[in-house]
Each structure stands twice: as C-alpha cells, then as structure tokens.
Amino acid sequence: MEDREEKLARRHEMIRTCPWCALSLTRTLAVPGEGDRSLRTLQGVTDITSEVADGRLRWQPPEGRWLVLAFARTVFRGTFFGHYLDLLNPKAVAAFIQATHRQYEKYLGRYFGKTIKGIFTDEPSALYSNRRDSIHWTPALPAAFEREAGYPFIQALPALFLDFGEETLKVRCDFMRTVTRLYVDGFYRPIYRWCARRGIFFMGHLNGEDRL
C-alpha cells in the first residue's frame, strides 16, 4: 500500500511529465483569518510566491491563523478540438486571423460581399472550462485589472474562488468587467474590423448563449 507521501510524489510526477496537464505556479498567497468566511479578510493578503522552492513552501507565518492558497496555470485541451486560442490576447488572435481569415481572402476574396456575405464564428469563449476551480486568464490580465479596478490583483484573486462576504460581489464584478473589455478588444473588435473593411459581416453565436 502506498503511503500519502508516495501518492503525492507519484501524482506530482504524472503532472510534471504530462504534456497536456503541466501546471505552472502563478501565485501563492496567504490570507489572514479563520476558515469561516466572516473572519477572512482580503486586506492583509500577502504574496508568498517567492517562498516556494523545489515544490515546497518555506514561509514562516506571523502569529494568528492563515489560509494558504496556491494558484497554477495550465494549457486547456478541449474534448473535441485540442488546444484552444487565448481570445483575450490580441497577438494570439492576430495569428489566428492570419491563419484563417487571411487564407479565406487569399482564395475566395473575389466572392466577398457577393456570394460570401460574411464569416461565421461558432461558439467562441473566453473560458472554455467547466471546472469550478478555473477562471479566465491571459498574461496581461493582472496589470489590466489593477489599472481598471484600482487595487492589487492579489487582493482580488482569493475572492474569485472563495466567499469573503460583502467584498466578494464587488471583486468578482471588477474582475468580469476587466475580462469583458479584454475579450472585446482582443477578439471581437479585430475580427469585426477585418470583416467590415472587406464589406462582409462578422457573424456567429457564443458558447453558452442558450443559457443566458
């Protein structure tokens, strides 16, 4: 029978060597307060990422009770289509347009606005994961959030996963406001403008719109 340490070591090795599920540590945060949501606070959230080395946390907490949260990033692999594009990243979307729309124009551009009235996008999504422990992500998101919300991203991150009472709703609305702006600027606006300049419609339907 494997003991707990052996199981953890085996799981870590599986994740480390799996090309589709490799995790990259993004942040490790310490949240002051008890486990009960009414006693947790976002004001004293401390970034202790630098205290992680070789997969181990070597942080010495101050007095009191602390909740330690580790956040990791992984590449999403869909059930039907493999890896999915980062629609919040303008550079990724520009490469997508080059690989798809520009090729349509190269071979079929003479039909644009005539036989071909528009280009249809099927179920784009800024978050194609149904896991409750996942959120929208792109490398530029933390800085964009801080510019638009006016407070540190590390103070928001815990409340995107856990309930912090009255603070929770504001944090999640601020986060989704930033995500929506990145989504529009990164994906919809560039493709809309590309189609409009060529006299065709940008058409489609969103993933999950049937549940709106």
Side-chain angles (χ1 to χ4, degrees), residues 100-206:
T100 55
H101 293 59
R102 290 295 298 273
Q103 300 308 305
Y104 305 153
E105 182 180 32
K106 178 180 178 180
Y107 294 102
L108 302 170
R110 63 186 180 277
Y111 300 113
F112 280 9
K114 302 168 186 174
T115 304
I116 298 175
K117 301 297 185 182
I119 295 178
F120 187 93
T121 181
D122 188 31
E123 297 188 347
S125 177
L127 177 63
Y128 238 115
S129 173
N130 293 322
R131 293 183 53 152
R132 295 176 62 84
D133 60 351
S134 62
I135 60 171
H136 308 76
W137 185 257
T138 193
L141 197 154
F145 177 88
E146 292 179 356
R147 285 195 306 271
E148 297 177 19
Y151 56 94
F153 182 69
I154 65 167
Q155 286 187 6
L157 195 50
L160 301 179
F161 296 90
L162 301 174
D163 190 347
F164 281 78
E166 294 181 357
E167 298 176 278
T168 307
L169 180 59
K170 180 184 185 308
V171 167
R172 294 180 182 181
C173 285
D174 289 343
F175 178 75
M176 288 308 303
R177 189 176 297 112
T178 300
V179 167
T180 300
R181 201 267 304 161
L182 291 173
Y183 192 17
V184 170
D185 290 349
F187 179 70
Y188 290 102
R189 185 168 285 120
I191 294 183
Y192 168 79
R193 287 176 173 171
W194 190 93
C195 290
R197 285 196 295 268
R198 289 156 179 81
I200 57 178
F201 295 109
F202 172 34
M203 306 178 293
H205 77 95
L206 310 184

Side-chain angles (χ1 to χ4, degrees), residues 12-150:
H12 176 75
E13 182 63 17
M14 288 174 62
I15 292 174
R16 187 185 69 81
T17 58
C18 172
W20 312 124
C21 56
L23 297 176
S24 173
L25 185 67
T26 302
R27 287 284 193 279
T28 302
L29 305 179
V31 180
E34 305 287 343
D36 182 79
R37 69 175 187 179
S38 63
L39 300 176
R40 292 196 297 255
T41 174
L42 292 170
Q43 300 309 311
V45 172
T46 303
D47 190 342
I48 57 173
T49 309
S50 62
E51 301 294 329
V52 178
D54 300 322
R56 293 183 178 275
L57 176 62
R58 307 184 186 280
W59 176 65
Q60 185 62 42
E63 284 193 26
R65 295 179 65 86
W66 293 80
L67 176 66
V68 174
L69 303 173
F71 302 91
R73 179 172 50 120
T74 186
V75 175
F76 175 75
R77 181 174 173 80
T79 304
F80 305 108
F81 44 72
H83 296 313
Y84 194 71
L85 183 70
D86 179 2
L87 300 188
L88 307 182
N89 187 334
K91 290 183 179 180
V93 174
F96 170 74
I97 293 173
Q98 180 67 29
T100 55
H101 293 59
R102 290 295 298 273
Q103 300 308 305
Y104 305 153
E105 182 180 32
K106 178 180 178 180
Y107 294 102
L108 302 170
R110 63 186 180 277
Y111 300 113
F112 280 9
K114 302 168 186 174
T115 304
I116 298 175
K117 301 297 185 182
I119 295 178
F120 187 93
T121 181
D122 188 31
E123 297 188 347
S125 177
L127 177 63
Y128 238 115
S129 173
N130 293 322
R131 293 183 53 152
R132 295 176 62 84
D133 60 351
S134 62
I135 60 171
H136 308 76
W137 185 257
T138 193
L141 197 154
F145 177 88
E146 292 179 356
R147 285 195 306 271
E148 297 177 19

